Amino acid sequence: MQTHITTTPFGRRPMTLGQISNQMAARTAKPEAIVHKWQVFQNIREARELLGATDRSLTILNALLTFHPETALTGDAEIVVWPSNVQLMARANGMPATTLRRHIAVLVDCGLVVRRDSPNGKRFARKGRGGEIEQAYGFDLSPIVARAEEFKDLAEAVGAEKKAFRVAKERLTLLRRDIVKLIEAGIEEGVPGNWGRVQQNYQTIIGRLPRSAPRQLLDDVCMDLHALYADIRAELETFTKSQNPDANESHSGRHIQNSNPDPNFESEYSLPKQVEASSTVEETDNVRSLPKRELPLGIVLDACPNLLELARGGEIRHWRDFLAAAEIARPLLGISPSAWREAREAMGEQHAAITLAAIYQRADQINSAGGYLRSLTDRARDGKFSTWPMVMALLRAKLDAQRTAGNAGGPRSERSVGTAPSLRVSEALLKNLQRPKSR
């Protein structure tokens, strides 16, 4: 007795060597093998990218599995289902026929199912007299059993890769956060060092990351970031160990000495050594004996001409122009907003800007402008700092350079100061301004 259960025509495709290999693998299932079809399907879904399957093709595989009544699949039984296209489209959420055929071909190419074609290309089953199925033509699900261990291994590999990728991203995030914090700490605390270059190195490493980076690239970037992190931390720890937390004044003095290798620039406006050893007001309050009048803008500009390059139009006519140029110079020097705020509170806005202009004038000789400004701010709070000696030191250095050039045979002429052509700086004025005044 022969019974045709389903007859559905289906376009034939040429056989490939890959399909032959898949059919051979399907026949290697051990007879005693028993697998849970939905567990295997879960492994296939997790490893779909490695298998070359798509979401739509797995939708069809899910539908094919529902046509087999048993949940447990064994290696000694025929596992062939023969649904019609109409039945498959219904269980695949109304997938169009052309899409259905395309994704069935994907399942065959991936070796997830094997075609069992009838002589006329239709899918059906032939039953015997007792009602048992003697021959079925359709889709053989034997690879689900034969390759169950392979699918499990692939799923575990994908899971391990996802975990490693997640760990790499977390490590990248932590390294980026920690490095930024360390750089900010170095700048805020005035640790000597080229922090601008450190930030540039950090940005160079991060710039290697595309929008969607593979795990291997993440690992490489994390390795470079960790090396940078170790270097920065070692530098900060070395600096911390070299400091005496109980002696703030000596801390500031050491920092300035390290930050400014030019002894002439420092000695011109630092307190004499004898002041530190004296206990009388007359001997120690040398800075307070300086002139109480404000510094003329022209003299400041003649001492700090480099600030003009940051001014709008290259010209500074008023103190508000000077303050605006100083605001531009601050980030260029790597001075943090908090250090700049403290300087303005301790010195006043105008004198803080003059101090910053003087630092900008000697930027090539100061390793850490932020730390240097903090040290001067601490002195200003104690009444031990004034911008007068700083400006006078810059003017004297300029006059010494002009005198040297004049002695070498060049023409000597007095230089106009700032934007006031009538204002001249003479040797007598410099000596007079540097000499303590009695009140």
Side-chain angles (χ1 to χ4, degrees), residues 401-414:
Q402 292 176 358
R403 184 184 300 110
T404 302
N407 293 337
R412 182 178 179 182
S413 62
E414 289 187 301

Side-chain angles (χ1 to χ4, degrees), residues 293-303 319 388 391-392 395 399 413-426 429-430 433:
R293 63 184 183 275
E294 296 294 335
L295 275 166
L297 177 60
I299 291 180
V300 175
L301 290 176
D302 196 47
W319 280 111
W388 275 84
V391 173
M392 293 305 106
L395 287 175
L399 290 175
S413 62
E414 289 187 301
R415 180 180 177 84
S416 298
V417 180
T419 57
S422 60
L423 183 60
R424 306 278 181 174
V425 177
S426 64
L429 175 60
L430 288 173
L433 290 176

Side-chain angles (χ1 to χ4, degrees), residues 219-360:
D219 289 340
D220 294 342
V221 170
C222 285
M223 186 178 301
D224 293 341
L225 286 178
H226 186 269
L228 180 62
Y229 168 82
D231 291 342
I232 299 174
R233 188 169 184 84
E235 186 70 20
L236 295 179
E237 290 177 352
T238 301
F239 178 78
T240 301
K241 292 178 182 178
S242 67
Q243 305 306 301
N244 183 0
D246 297 328
N248 293 330
E249 287 299 321
S250 61
H251 173 109
S252 300
R254 284 195 302 271
H255 174 71
I256 294 177
Q257 184 176 1
N258 294 334
S259 298
N260 183 15
D262 186 359
N264 295 327
F265 186 56
E266 173 65 15
S267 61
E268 289 293 335
Y269 58 87
S270 61
L271 293 176
K273 295 181 180 179
Q274 61 185 7
V275 172
E276 298 179 1
S278 176
S279 58
T280 63
V281 174
E282 290 78 12
E283 293 176 350
T284 59
D285 207 12
N286 192 26
V287 172
R288 293 189 177 92
S289 299
L290 292 171
K292 300 302 180 181
R293 63 184 183 275
E294 296 294 335
L295 275 166
L297 177 60
I299 291 180
V300 175
L301 290 176
D302 196 47
C304 310
N306 288 353
L307 197 68
L308 290 169
E309 66 189 22
L310 302 179
R312 187 174 182 180
E315 191 175 17
I316 295 178
R317 294 182 177 274
H318 308 282
W319 280 111
R320 61 175 178 270
D321 300 333
F322 185 85
L323 296 177
E327 289 289 347
I328 298 175
R330 179 195 64 78
L332 297 179
L333 291 170
I335 297 175
S336 65
S338 61
W340 178 232
R341 181 178 63 254
E342 293 173 4
R344 288 183 296 175
E345 292 173 355
M347 305 177 189
E349 190 171 22
Q350 182 171 313
H351 285 285
I354 294 173
T355 303
L356 189 143
I359 295 175
Y360 186 75

